[in-house]
């Protein structure tokens, strides 16, 4: 990979990280949802109390995190 491609890849990664952090910040600032964004089931009251910014039920959040860990860098 030449220097130009390396710089572009680095810039793309930095943009992806910034976008992800922006999404997290917006989620934390928001009030969350009463129903899961993925499956549509109600989010349990205990979960909404513990994580008022939650947009997924606990099962879908676990699956989301597990899927994300497959792509995490070692």
């Amino acid at each position: 990979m030449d220097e130009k491609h390396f710089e572009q890849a680095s810039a793309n990664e930095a943009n992806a990280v910034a976008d992800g952090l922006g999404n997290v910040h917006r989620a934390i600032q928001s009030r969350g949802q009463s129903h899961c964004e993925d499956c549509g089931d109600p989010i349990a009251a205990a979960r909404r109390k513990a994580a008022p910014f939650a947009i997924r039920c606990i099962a879908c959040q676990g699956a989301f995190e597990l899927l994300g860990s497959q792509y995490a860098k070692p």
Side-chain angles (χ1 to χ4, degrees):
M1 180 181 286
D2 64 18
E3 188 172 334
K4 180 180 177 182
H5 287 109
F6 179 76
E7 289 174 3
Q8 183 62 45
S10 293
N12 288 346
E13 183 176 12
N15 288 337
V17 169
D19 288 345
L21 290 174
N23 291 340
V24 168
H25 180 70
R26 281 187 295 282
I28 289 171
Q29 298 301 317
S30 72
R31 299 192 75 204
Q33 299 177 181
S34 61
H35 287 74
C36 179
E37 187 169 287
D38 293 345
C39 71
D41 288 346
I43 298 175
R47 173 154 172 75
R48 289 196 328 265
K49 183 177 180 181
F53 50 85
I55 61 170
R56 292 181 182 86
C57 67
I58 196 70
C60 289
Q61 184 64 39
F64 178 80
E65 291 175 8
L66 182 62
L67 179 63
S69 69
Q70 293 176 0
Y71 299 102
K73 294 182 179 181

